[in-house]
C-alpha cells in the first residue's frame, strides 16, 4: 500500500502542534483568519503561541495542502489579512489513513 503524493506531502508538513492547529481550523466557520485560530487555541491551552509561530505553522499547513489561503501562499501578503479554508484533503486524510491501517491489520488477521 502506497500513500498518494498529496497524502505524503500533507503528512510531511505535520507535527503535533500543527495537528492541533489543524483540528482547531476544522472547528471554525470558514473563511477564518489567523486571529480566529489564535483565539481558539488560547481558549484551549495555557501555553501561549505567538502570532509569528502560528503564521509559520499555517503556512506549513498550506504547503502540505491542508489549508488554502486567500490571497494564495505565493502572493505577497505583508500587511494583508489572509482568509483560510480547510481542504478536502484535510477533511478526509485521517479517515483514509485509518482505512489503510485497518486494511493492513485485517490482511494480517489481526482484526
Amino acid at each position: 500500500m502506497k500513500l498518494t503524493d498529496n497524502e505524503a506531502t500533507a503528512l510531511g508538513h505535520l507535527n503535533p502542534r500543527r495537528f492541533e492547529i489543524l483540528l482547531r481550523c476544522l472547528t471554525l466557520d470558514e473563511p477564518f483568519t489567523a486571529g480566529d485560530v489564535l483565539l481558539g487555541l488560547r481558549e484551549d491551552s495555557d501555553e501561549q503561541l505567538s502570532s509569528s509561530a502560528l503564521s509559520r505553522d499555517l503556512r506549513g499547513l498550506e504547503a502540505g495542502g491542508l489549508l488554502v489561503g486567500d490571497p494564495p501562499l505565493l502572493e505577497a501578503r505583508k500587511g494583508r489579512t489572509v482568509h483560510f479554508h480547510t481542504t478536502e484533503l484535510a477533511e478526509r486524510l485521517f479517515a483514509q489513513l485509518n482505512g489503510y491501517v485497518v486494511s493492513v491489520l485485517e490482511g494480517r488477521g489481526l482484526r
Side-chain angles (χ1 to χ4, degrees), residues 1-12 93 96-98 100-101:
M1 188 166 306
K2 185 170 174 21
L3 295 175
T4 67
D5 289 343
N6 289 343
E7 292 166 343
T9 298
L11 289 174
L93 177 64
Q96 185 66 38
L97 294 174
N98 181 62
Y100 294 158
V101 171

Side-chain angles (χ1 to χ4, degrees), residues 6-7 10 14 18-19 21-23 25-26 30 32 61-62 64-68 85-97:
N6 289 343
E7 292 166 343
L14 279 176
R18 287 182 182 172
F19 181 71
I21 292 168
L22 179 61
L23 290 177
C25 291
L26 288 166
E30 295 184 355
F32 54 87
L61 291 170
E62 275 186 279
L66 298 164
L67 293 180
V68 173
H85 299 270
T86 56
T87 64
E88 182 181 327
L89 177 62
E91 296 166 9
R92 69 171 172 76
L93 177 64
F94 298 98
Q96 185 66 38
L97 294 174

